[in-house]
Structures are given as C-alpha cells and as structure tokens.
Amino acid sequence: PAVSDSLDARVLWPLATCLCTALLCLCQAPRGRAAAGEEEEEEEGAAEAGSVPLLKGSALLLLVAVLLGSLLARCCGSAGGAQRHGTGSGWGAAAARRGALEGFHARQLRLSPHVLGHSKAHVGRVVAELVRAAKAQGLQPGPLALSLRGDFVRIGSAYEQHKVRSPDCFDVLVPLRLPPRLEPEPRRDLGPGLGPGAAFVCGLRAPAGAGWPRRYRPFTEGFCVEPQGRCLLSSALVLRWFQGHLQRCLGAVRYRLQERCRISLSACPGRPPTLHILPCSDYVCCHISMAVRLIPAIPLGDALYLTALPPEGLQAAPAQEALWGLNASRQEQRLLSWLKEQAPASSCHLKCLQILKGLRDLRRQGLEEPFCSQWGRVLSSYVLKTALFSLLLQGPLEAWDERFLVERLEDLVMYLRDCLRKQVLMHLFLGNTSLPEAVALPRFLKEAAPVNLLAPFDGPTLDMAAFQLLYTWSQAPHLIRVYSRPRYLRPTPAPCRPFVGSWF
C-alpha cells in the first residue's frame, strides 16, 4: 500500500502543475483580446511585455508544485516505511517470543532421553529388588496379614514423557494385599483444604457380617479405626506399617545393591517413604542422585488404586485418617498413548505442557505468601494436565503440529484462564461418558459422580490465579530472563526424618 501511495503522488503533482499552467494561460488570454483594437506596434509591445509575467508565473507555479509534490512523496514514503517496519517488528516480536520459549524448553526443561532412560532403568532395578525382598520377608499371607502383592506400578510425569528440569524424582505405586470383602464408601462431604488431589475420596469399610470381627480381629485392631461406629481401614496406620516394613527389608538387599548404589530411606510424617539412590561412580554413567517415592496402594481392580491422602500440614488431620484418594494414573497413560497414535508425529502437546509447568514455577518465584502457596495448588500439574487433555479432545489433533507451538500454547493458557474465571474444570474420567471409545474406562469411573477439580478453591483465589496466569503468559520472555536457573539447580526440599543407620 505504501508503494502505491508514493506512485500516485508522483503522477498527481505533474498533472496538477500542467493544469495550473493551462489555467494561467487561459486567464491571460482575455487581456490579449482586449488590446486587439490598438495599434499594431503597441499590440506587439504589450504582447511581449505580457509574455514575461506569464512565463515567470508559470515557472514559479511549477517550482512550487514540484516542491510540494516532493514533500508529499517523502511523507507518503515515510508512512509506508513505518508501516512496513511495524509489520516487520510484529513478526520479529512473535519470532522473539517463540525463540525465548524454545530456548527455555531446550536449556532448562527438556530432559536428555539418554539420561532419563538410564535413570528409569536404574530405578526399576533397585525398586524391583526391594519389593521382592519385602514380599519375601513380610508377614505370611493370610486372612490376618497385610502384605505386598509383589509388583509395582510406574506412574507420574517421568513415565508420561512430560517431566521437566531433572530426572531425579520418580513415583511408584506398591500394591498391597488385604483381606477380602473391604468395600469402598465414596465420600462427598470432604470439607475444605483437600485440594484437587482429593477429587474422589472414599473409606474402606469392613463388612459387618457374621464372622468378620472375630476372624479378622488382629487385622482390625492393627489397621482399622472406628469413626462414628464404622470400622474403616486407616491410611495412617497402613502407611506407618509400610514404612517400617520397607526399612526392615533394606538390609536384605544391601549386598545385592552395593556394587550399583548406596540407598537410604526417609519418611515425613503422614507421607509415603522416599527411597534415595546414589549410584556408584563406576556403574551408572549419568551419576545423578535419585529420589523414588514409594506409595502404598490398595487395588480396586481395572488398574485403579486407592492411596493415602497427602496431609495439608505437618500431620494428617484426624478426619483424613480413614480416607483414601483415587489414583487413575494407568488410565491417563492409556489416554496419552492413544493421543500419541492419533496426533501428528511432530505434535507439540507434551512440549506445551512442559513449558506451561516451567512458566508456572518461574512465576512462583515472584509471588508472595499466602498466594504463592495457593498458586502451586490451583495450577497443580494434575490441573494443567487435565486442561491439556480436555483441549486436545476438542480437536483437531492436526492443529498441534510443532509449527503451531506458540498458538497452541496460547490456546491452552486461554482455555485454562476461562476455566479459572468460570471456576469449573471437571475431572477427566469421573462420570465422563464422552471420551473416545478407544479409551475404555472401567465401570467404576463411568458410574462415579462428576467432580469439579476447582471446587475446593474460593472465587477470589481463582480470579487472582487467572490474572496471574495471563500476566505470566504476556511477560513470558521477561520472566524467563529474570527468574531462569540452571537445569539441575533445584529448590531445597522439605526436611524429612531419615531412618537411623539406613545408609549402606
């Protein structure tokens, strides 16, 4: 458009100059006709005298027209150049944003497949040895015993290909074997403070039929509580037994693991024990100290498990002692596998999730309490993953090609912003009948009541989270420059109590 404006100005002003000259000549013509009756000598003199002003006026008018035309052409050219420069700067800003996000992902979020593969393999071998020893040295299986089933289930971001920063933390479910006929009792009156991790909460009730109390009295006395006259399995008592049982089994695997690594076990009150693995320098090429959270799990069937609720404070509240939360990690892994098959080979959906998790962590460094703690709970990794799943299932999956990384990431931010403003983000599996048929859900999940993951948070907190989320996205390059840290620099974890003499 700027080029056409300049050309129009260059053509217009010469035409205007010719028109003005013609008009000036027409104005001088009547004067010549009025002097036609005079003498021939005087007519020739007047004509010669009148021609001089005519030529001078035409020259002056032409000069003015040329100057004005040049000035206008320069103005049009400058405006066109500014427009072209503005378009270029807009494209340059988009390219700079993408470059900042790509660099942030490559330098601080993306994990080396080599390092992650070695870490997962090493964790698998060590945990397998420990679980095998724990099953062999546990109480004898039977109606009075609580024991390990003998296997373990890998869960979490490290096994779903969207872990960020460092491959040094892993989650593993350790299924337990319990006496039969324990029945789940779903609970909806959760009360405040349980957060999204407690989307589905239930108790495990011992049947009141004949023979149960007497036959299983040692089990009920050791692992059950009776709130409001009901006999329920205590997650706190099971967790305490699990911690002590694993500690007793560490000695049995000491000589098997001494050439591979040194291991220790730590425990925080009310939380699953953490297995710390320090590889020997001559065994693992990556030399990364790893922490594995060993989570005792109650199997429900169909790859569903119940796990103890994490305490909000240092210790679990008495009301939480008899409650268990649902873990549907295996269903999430199946959905991820199905999406990977349907999406383009260069899909960026997991990359978007990693970048959003990284930006959330960066923004947390600039927030103050008490909202800083709320920020991490509102935008937990589970909430971000649920929002991503919901957006992906709206399709089309072809739009998630790597070329559209910034656009899809912005879509994810805006979708999550809308969820926060509406205060609604539904659990992906509980009561959801609109999932693809290829992702078969257990009947237990289909028949469960729908759950809003944002229900535990009040409106002002969600509004503030929506505002901070938009600010984080708009200022992403600035936050990356200011708050970025080296790849393997991690915040100091909360201190846990190590078991005495647990290093080997």
Side-chain angles (χ1 to χ4, degrees), residues 33-73:
R33 287 195 299 269
E38 298 180 358
E39 296 180 354
E40 185 177 355
E41 292 83 0
E42 295 178 358
E43 182 181 356
E44 293 176 359
E48 293 175 0
S51 62
V52 175
L54 178 62
L55 293 176
K56 291 181 179 180
S58 300
L60 181 60
L61 185 60
L62 179 62
L63 180 61
V64 172
V66 171
L67 292 176
L68 291 176
S70 300
L71 180 61
L72 183 60

Side-chain angles (χ1 to χ4, degrees), residues 26-37:
L26 291 175
C27 290
Q28 294 294 333
R31 297 181 182 181
R33 287 195 299 269

